[in-house]
Amino acid sequence: MRLFRTKAGCVVELDGQYFRVDSADWDGLLATEDLHGALTSLIDGQRPGEALTAEEVLAPIGRQEVWAAGVTYYRSRGARMEESKDAGGGSFYDRVYSAERPELFFKSTASRTVGSGGKVRIRGDATWSVPEPELTLLVSPGGRITGYTIGNDMSSRDIEGQNPLYLPQAKVYSGSCALGPGILVSSESLARSTEIAIEIVRQGTVEFEGRVALTELKREPETLVEYLFRDNAFPDGCFLMTGTGIVPPSSFTLASGDLIRITIEAIGTLENCVA
């Protein structure tokens, strides 16, 4: 079952059939502890309507905050050590990777977040920018993982590499976050064999592509959520990006006009152009 936020309201997709529940409140649904059960009740007895078009779909976020986890894949550890070595941060990220406490940071609000089809941005004062494709968790106010979506944690690697304390500037700015296209709502966890794939197209040519399986994720999603909710409250629920295991080579940087496609088969494809 997938849940979409659209220009006309909420849409539930089940087995290829689309049910429009326009009267449902988006933030109210995302704050539900049993989202799967709530959606099942909403569409019970309804007749399906017309298929959803990509143009109708909005970013699946309302009053929720977006948070993110860092250095949760070995590849990310290596990339962070490489980019920060001149600033003396090489061992810093190695310690983060092996520590019991994960790295968690605030990423975005709805106003800074775009949906599939929207335009992401690279900072004007950055020279080395990359997308970070990530499995993103929808978490209820009670700390329960109720859904999954795709996230793009846009990052300015040169700024973060200058000093780890510059992380907020490298990560948080207008257009730095993309979520979508919808939310996979399931009563079961995603299989660890699930793959995240990315393709970056520049002027019709694939400039970079990669994929990683969730088996490479060092920390359990439930552990990341547990640390995020320590002494923290999210009355509307929240989104938590779980880190990236795909990092383009140091010779690559995003450019205006690039097309970024991130696919997680069970969820769909998040597609964004760079402004």
Side-chain angles (χ1 to χ4, degrees), residues 45-222:
Q46 284 200 30
R47 299 183 64 179
E50 295 181 357
L52 193 61
T53 64
E55 292 73 24
E56 296 178 74
V57 177
L58 302 174
I61 183 173
R63 294 194 297 263
Q64 298 72 36
E65 296 175 352
V66 184
W67 286 67
V71 201
T72 55
Y73 289 81
Y74 189 79
R75 177 68 183 94
S76 178
R77 164 197 169 274
R80 297 294 176 264
M81 291 176 67
E82 175 190 355
E83 73 189 19
S84 62
K85 60 185 179 182
D86 291 339
S91 63
F92 176 86
Y93 287 104
D94 186 37
R95 293 198 298 272
V96 170
Y97 180 78
S98 58
E100 178 180 348
R101 181 184 293 272
E103 177 194 10
L104 297 171
F105 57 90
F106 176 80
K107 173 62 185 179
S108 189
T109 56
S111 65
R112 299 182 179 91
T113 303
V114 301
S116 190
K119 290 189 176 183
V120 291
R121 295 182 61 252
I122 51 181
R123 286 187 63 111
D125 58 356
T127 59
W128 185 13
S129 299
V130 297
E132 296 190 6
E134 308 189 16
L135 173 67
T136 302
L137 313 174
L138 169 64
V139 189
S140 73
R144 179 181 180 186
I145 299 172
T146 57
Y148 305 88
T149 190
I150 302 170
N152 181 359
D153 173 18
M154 294 284 286
S155 299
S156 305
R157 290 187 63 186
D158 59 316
I159 293 176
E160 184 181 357
Q162 290 171 23
N163 191 311
L165 295 180
Y166 294 164
L167 177 72
Q169 296 176 72
K171 295 281 191 177
V172 184
Y173 56 90
S174 296
S176 66
C177 179
L179 293 176
I183 299 171
L184 173 68
V185 180
S186 176
S187 55
E188 300 180 356
S189 300
L190 278 185
R192 297 288 285 182
S193 59
T194 299
E195 288 190 331
I196 304 169
I198 186 172
E199 181 181 70
I200 303 173
V201 180
R202 180 173 297 168
Q203 297 180 348
T205 300
V206 176
E207 197 75 13
F208 173 79
E209 57 185 344
R211 61 179 56 240
V212 68
L214 294 184
T215 50
E216 300 299 313
L217 181 61
K218 180 178 186 288
R219 301 179 188 272
E220 293 294 330
E222 292 79 7

Side-chain angles (χ1 to χ4, degrees), residues 2 150 184 194-197 211 262-269:
R2 294 188 298 171
I150 302 170
L184 173 68
T194 299
E195 288 190 331
I196 304 169
R211 61 179 56 240
I262 304 171
T263 300
I264 301 177
E265 187 173 348
I267 302 171
T269 297

